[in-house]
Amino acid sequence: MIPNALPLSLQDNPRLDQWVAFPAPGRVSVRTGKVELGQGVLTALLQIAAEELDVAPERIDLTSGDTASTPNEGFTAGSLSIQVGGAALRLVTAELRALMLEQAARQLQCDVSRLAVADGAILKEGVPSGLDYWRLAPALDLSQAATGAAPVKAPGQLRLVGQDLPRTDLPAKLGGAPFIQDLAPPDLLHARVLHRPRRGARLEAVDEAGAARLGAVTFHRSGDVVAVIGEDEAEVQAAFTRLRDRARWSGGVELKETDAEAVTLLDRPTAPPRVVERGAPSGAPVVRRLEATYSKPYIAHGSIAPSCGLAKFEEGRLTVWTHAQGVFALRGSIARALGLDPALVHVIHHQGAGCYGHNGADDAAFDAAFVALARPGRTVRVLWTREDELGVAPFGAAMVVKLAAGLDASGRPVDWNIDVFSPSHGGRPGMNGAVNLLTPLSLATPPDDPAPMDLPDAAGGGASRNAFLLYDLPHQKMVHHFITDAPVRTSSMRGLGAFANVFALESFLDEAAEAAGLDPVAYRLSLMSDPRARAVIEEAARMCHWDMSPPDGIARGFAFSRYKNSAAYLALAVELSVEEEVRVSRVWCAVDGGLIVNPDGARNQIEGGVIQALSWTLKEQVRFSEGAVSSSTWETYPILRFSEVPRIETQLIGDPAHPPLGIGEVSQGPTAAAVANGVAAALGARLRHLPLTRERIMAALLEA
Amino acid sequence: MDEIALRVNGEDRTARADAGAPLIHVLRNLLDLKATRYGCGQEQCGACMVLLDGKPTFSCTFPAAEAVGREVETAEALVSHPLREAFLELQAGQCGYCLSGILMSAKGLLDRTADPAREEIVAALDPHLCRCGAHERIIGAVALAAARLRGAAA
Ligand code: FES
Ligand code: FES
């Protein structure tokens, strides 16, 4: 195998001992740079390692996301944990098993073909040989680089991969204390940090004395940042609430109510447009031109737990506990913002509530570090408020997508043009060489961050993610208009640009089918030659009985996408009714993710993604009033509830001979498009701007 | 600070707290019962739900002093309850942060209603938010636990 074909995680962390160790008889230590975000990734990685090593999963102690001990695998994001991180671990563990067998063959003076591994013990002709991994390990040089050359198991040999191993983290989540919010070392100190209500606002007045009357608290201030600190969390919270509610701010970026509408992005300055073109117009005569503009607003991550960080500063060393997606990048940003040597900063991942992208986790970790430096020797715990979580964490970027296509006489696209308008989807710590943390911007000496940029196409793209279609089109032209001055901070949220792009593209495809007088599923199949894409489209159509008309009062919608055009394939159908609101009653998904490590976990991710995307599609929009974010409670930022979720059926139809493909973000875009297509079928009028609210439906009905 | 005497999960516990401190603070910080989760502090997400004399109650706002003399139940008490078994069996959850509160509302429902219809389960869970989208499995797990409890009672 040529070295650059190795998964990126392995290129960056080539040594075997960066991944696996045999610390004590019967125990295997496996390290991963990927972290648990509620998606079940640690269970899947455990399955992969146990499979290729041929040890029981119970023997493995998994360490994840620790700057002192795990490989640096960047961010846990982009549906790459299994596709890249899992692939690396699979090659490493397969190689270790092969090295162990070679070593055993030398010691037993026999051919490797006579040996096998059973739960870490070496069998010779099926009989225990007296050797095992732990006796053999000292004879191996595990500091050597992985070659990636050892064969991984063929599909027919898999025992654990492909099985529904129960989630290893779930038992503690039912009645235990597994979350970062639950950490409470004996030297704990509670703190809350005041965040400014608008970018650039200055703190004019703050009543510390009044707040201190509500409890035994002290304060730490730098620039426009104030922390409230104390031993008793209830007192700290009470004092902080009073302090926050009476703080006076001036200046800064005043948010206008209309800034919350994505279409106002079109009035904002952009970087020079970036044009990427594939193919050329087919030359067939255009008999019909179609054009349409779609949009999605700013969306909040809305984790159910407020972000939390813990930090301790002792003897010049800073230790930080965080639920962020990239501990190494966070270490760099914290060190820079606080003027510390990164070698003296140790960042450890500890899981929090579900994370769907770059939320407040990094910022809360910094807040804890900021206070810890002022209170050396104590572990400081900062918990954000619900208002912070919904109001000052980065938002998923608003987007406008303009589409234009010429169709020939048979309805096939002759040319195809997509214009994408969006602020950054890549504002994570360290990206673009910036610190990219919230609180440092309000410090007495803020870091000198460069202007934001978007994620490059080579990294999967931000606004450009899934801007190109997988269909067989002679020509596709994308123009990326990067909005340089968004009114609010934006960064990566599940699917990045793919959500808006797939919503727009797969809506527009239905519009093209309608213009051509063709059935949407038949139209898609007529444009698609990729056999794996065709298979999921056909399967989803079969599952929902697309060829039969739906019952009275019910409409159906359909959509397809391959996430990033490189991860899993998914086709999805919905059944819905529209009265004043859209009510989605059923959803069918057909997915090809190649080899699926844990099918039940994959279904859970795909179906959870559908429900979350339904919530985005039908309800969610960040709103501004009186100059600031006004949607900072669950009342003003409602999400889908138990009484509103549909039944979902999922078929995983991939061939296990194909390598695993990321599935964690595959269902978002198609969900929005299928719902919009169903709504268009129900109303006879198309809604092109998310969310599909009652107001928009009433307006469309009046126009129709 | 006042001495607050509570009966939690069948045990008598005391803690020193301000009379107005919310029940969740006493449970999590003073009694080290951390399965009760904090989500919003505004009665809007259900993460903090406990049972108070069998009735689902938002512990994030409920004054601890008013719980004196009443029976408090938290998710710690469900270690061997069929509800927890059912949630594990159906892998009903993703990040799991919403589950403690949901378990308590579900227990409140099953304590009153042996054979809840799907609509009743949904209504009992509607005060709860789940951002990961594990709703369908959660509804299924509550129904499964109800069936198990009926089987055990029969
Ligand atoms: S924390 Fe009590 S309802 Fe949200
Ligand atoms: S499982 Fe994550 S919020 Fe419900």
Side-chain angles (χ1 to χ4, degrees):
Chain A
M1 188 179 279
I2 45 169
N4 65 7
L6 291 177
L8 190 63
S9 289
L10 200 47
Q11 293 179 40
D12 290 345
N13 306 276
R15 290 196 336 259
L16 293 169
D17 63 3
Q18 287 179 286
W19 298 87
V20 181
F22 299 88
R27 304 307 304 167
V28 183
S29 155
V30 172
R31 300 168 191 132
T32 169
K34 298 297 179 185
V35 297
E36 183 63 50
L37 305 172
Q39 81 283 45
V41 70
L42 293 190
T43 304
L45 291 172
L46 185 73
Q47 278 176 271
I48 289 172
E51 177 74 65
E52 295 295 337
L53 281 171
D54 269 324
V55 297
E58 298 75 35
R59 290 203 187 282
I60 296 180
D61 302 306
L62 200 57
T63 311
S64 82
D66 184 325
T67 58
S69 62
T70 67
N72 178 356
E73 297 189 71
F75 296 100
T76 301
S79 297
L80 295 170
S81 296
I82 299 302
Q83 204 170 321
V84 177
L89 190 59
R90 195 176 181 202
L91 289 175
V92 165
T93 45
E95 188 157 345
L96 272 166
R97 182 178 178 279
L99 290 171
M100 290 285 188
L101 283 171
E102 273 170 31
Q103 182 63 29
R106 266 194 294 278
Q107 293 191 14
L108 297 169
Q109 297 183 337
C110 71
D111 196 79
V112 170
S113 62
R114 295 168 65 194
L115 303 179
V117 183
D119 196 13
I122 309 295
L123 306 183
K124 183 177 170 188
E125 311 286 7
V127 181
S129 67
L131 289 178
D132 59 31
Y133 284 173
W134 298 274
R135 289 198 180 89
L136 292 166
L140 292 180
D141 174 16
L142 297 184
S143 70
Q144 62 185 292
T147 63
V152 298
K153 288 188 184 174
Q157 301 172 300
L158 299 171
R159 300 162 301 112
L160 259 179
V161 164
Q163 303 298 313
D164 294 332
L165 190 72
R167 286 271 294 267
T168 53
D169 54 337
L170 198 56
K173 291 172 171 178
L174 292 160
F179 295 105
I180 187 169
Q181 287 83 2
D182 304 328
L183 290 177
D187 64 347
L188 193 69
L189 207 48
H190 291 277
R192 298 287 184 274
V193 173
L194 184 62
H195 300 116
R196 54 191 185 187
R198 308 175 287 282
R199 291 172 127 185
R202 303 300 311 265
L203 186 56
E204 290 296 329
V206 65
D207 180 13
E208 294 174 344
R213 279 199 291 277
L214 292 180
V217 294
T218 59
F219 303 90
H220 172 52
R221 179 159 182 182
S222 166
D224 294 321
V225 185
V226 188
V228 181
I229 308 160
E231 307 282 342
D232 182 279
E233 188 175 18
E235 291 184 355
V236 170
Q237 180 66 45
F240 172 77
T241 304
R242 185 182 192 280
L243 187 91
R244 179 193 64 190
D245 292 349
R246 306 205 177 185
R248 276 201 295 113
W249 300 86
S250 68
V253 182
E254 286 277 334
L255 295 168
K256 298 198 295 284
E257 269 175 53
T258 49
D259 289 337
E261 303 305 327
V263 288
T264 61
L265 287 178
L266 298 175
D267 306 328
R268 291 191 166 267
T270 66
R274 187 170 67 89
V275 182
V276 185
E277 199 156 0
R278 292 185 186 167
S282 69
V286 170
V287 303
R288 180 146 193 188
R289 288 211 73 80
L290 290 181
E291 274 184 33
T293 300
Y294 302 82
S295 75
K296 78 155 264 243
Y298 299 101
I299 294 182
H301 291 264
S303 185
I304 293 298
S307 289
C308 181
L310 283 83
K312 181 169 184 171
F313 187 61
E314 204 170 30
E315 292 168 10
R317 293 180 167 269
L318 179 68
T319 308
V320 179
W321 293 265
T322 178
H323 51 113
Q325 290 171 282
V327 288
F328 289 89
L330 179 59
R331 174 178 67 175
S333 281
I334 288 177
R336 255 169 69 196
L338 292 173
L340 298 171
D341 175 357
L344 300 177
V345 181
H346 178 191
V347 181
I348 303 167
H349 183 265
H350 195 99
Q351 64 180 310
C355 163
Y356 322 102
H358 177 201
N359 58 17
D362 300 272
D363 297 322
F366 176 84
D367 289 352
F370 164 74
V371 182
L373 254 56
R375 297 289 183 277
R378 297 289 299 269
T379 303
V380 173
R381 172 186 186 264
V382 168
L383 184 73
W384 273 21
T385 61
R386 173 52 45 195
E387 289 88 343
D388 280 346
E389 197 65 26
L390 289 172
V392 303
F395 294 118
M399 283 175 69
V400 175
V401 181
K402 289 186 169 187
L403 284 161
L407 305 182
D408 69 14
S410 65
R412 292 184 80 85
V414 173
D415 63 85
W416 186 273
N417 305 278
I418 178 168
D419 280 65
V420 181
F421 300 78
S422 173
S424 176
H425 295 258
R428 295 180 183 277
M431 277 184 173
N432 191 27
V435 165
N436 283 339
L437 290 168
L438 176 69
T439 296
L441 298 172
S442 312
L443 291 178
T445 45
D448 191 12
D449 273 1
M453 273 174 38
D454 205 12
L455 227 66
D457 289 356
S464 61
R465 186 165 293 188
N466 278 92
F468 285 93
L469 284 168
L470 201 67
Y471 298 98
D472 313 321
L473 303 181
H475 167 253
Q476 295 190 61
K477 177 177 167 191
M478 175 193 71
V479 186
H480 177 193
H481 308 262
F482 178 64
I483 308 285
T484 47
D485 77 327
V488 287
R489 187 166 63 130
T490 61
S491 191
S492 304
M493 185 162 175
R494 204 171 181 185
L496 282 67
F499 178 65
N501 287 331
V502 173
F503 158 64
L505 287 164
E506 285 283 313
S507 293
F508 196 60
L509 217 72
D510 258 39
E511 298 198 51
E514 195 187 330
L518 293 170
D519 170 77
V521 171
Y523 186 65
R524 282 175 173 80
L525 287 171
S526 77
L527 296 174
M528 180 61 80
S529 56
D530 183 326
R532 296 175 73 175
R534 291 183 66 88
V536 295
I537 293 172
E538 282 163 354
E539 177 63 14
R542 190 197 62 74
M543 287 168 76
C544 73
H545 301 287
W546 186 261
D547 53 349
M548 302 188 340
S549 3
D552 265 0
I554 299 282
R556 281 200 203 114
F558 198 93
F560 160 82
S561 166
R562 181 179 190 194
Y563 184 54
K564 298 196 281 188
N565 292 333
S566 63
Y569 300 79
L570 173 140
L572 176 150
V574 301
E575 203 168 80
L576 54 78
S577 57
V578 187
E579 277 168 24
E580 288 181 347
E581 287 179 341
V582 181
R583 188 154 186 106
V584 179
S585 43
R586 298 191 67 180
V587 179
W588 297 268
C589 303
V591 184
D592 177 353
L595 172 64
I596 301 277
V597 175
N598 188 319
D600 186 64
R603 267 192 205 98
N604 210 352
Q605 273 288 292
I606 291 161
E607 295 178 0
V610 168
I611 289 179
Q612 191 173 74
L614 275 180
S615 185
W616 298 354
T617 303
L618 299 177
K619 305 196 144 210
E620 296 183 33
Q621 175 168 17
V622 173
R623 294 189 184 274
F624 310 138
S625 78
E626 292 173 24
V629 175
S630 56
S631 51
S632 57
T633 67
W634 289 123
E635 206 154 53
T636 48
Y637 191 86
I639 62 172
L640 211 67
R641 307 192 80 93
F642 271 91
S643 49
E644 298 168 309
V645 298
R647 300 264 178 115
I648 309 176
E649 273 169 55
T650 304
Q651 292 289 344
L652 304 172
I653 63 165
D655 179 346
H658 291 136
L661 297 174
I663 49 95
E665 295 158 298
V666 65
S667 50
Q668 274 77 24
T671 298
V675 170
N677 290 337
V679 169
L683 295 183
R686 184 160 284 275
L687 299 185
R688 299 189 183 89
H689 302 280
L690 299 179
L692 308 180
T693 55
R694 174 194 302 245
E695 295 71 36
R696 288 202 162 113
I697 288 163
M698 299 316 266
L701 281 175
L702 286 178
E703 268 175 40
Chain B
M1 291 272 176
D2 300 291
E3 174 114 336
I4 297 187
L6 295 175
R7 198 161 165 78
V8 189
N9 300 331
E11 281 177 41
D12 290 320
R13 307 286 302 264
T14 54
R16 290 189 64 79
D18 281 335
L23 181 57
I24 191 169
H25 170 67
V26 174
L27 293 172
R28 283 184 58 87
N29 291 334
L30 306 180
L31 302 179
D32 198 27
L33 293 168
K34 290 204 155 48
T36 303
R37 321 266 184 233
Y38 181 85
C40 67
Q42 296 163 326
E43 306 189 0
Q44 291 174 7
C45 75
C48 64
M49 204 71 91
V50 298
L51 293 180
L52 206 59
D53 290 339
K55 187 171 162 286
T57 304
F58 297 107
S59 68
C60 64
T61 51
F62 196 86
E66 286 181 33
V68 170
R70 301 168 68 179
E71 202 72 42
V72 184
E73 288 171 83
T74 71
E76 276 92 353
L78 302 183
V79 224
S80 50
H81 194 277
L83 267 168
R84 187 169 180 278
E85 299 305 316
F87 273 67
L88 284 172
E89 193 170 322
L90 299 191
Q91 295 283 291
Q94 285 185 38
C95 79
Y97 198 85
C98 63
L99 296 180
S100 289
I102 285 172
L103 283 172
M104 298 326 291
S105 284
K107 175 160 194 293
L109 173 70
L110 300 191
D111 285 350
R112 312 188 288 279
T113 319
D115 192 2
R118 183 185 166 90
E119 295 67 43
E120 290 175 277
I121 297 175
V122 166
L125 301 187
D126 226 31
H128 295 273
L129 299 179
C130 172
R131 186 54 158 169
C132 298
H135 303 72
E136 190 57 35
R137 287 175 183 232
I138 289 170
I139 295 168
V142 176
L144 176 63
R148 294 267 165 79
L149 279 163
R150 287 198 302 281

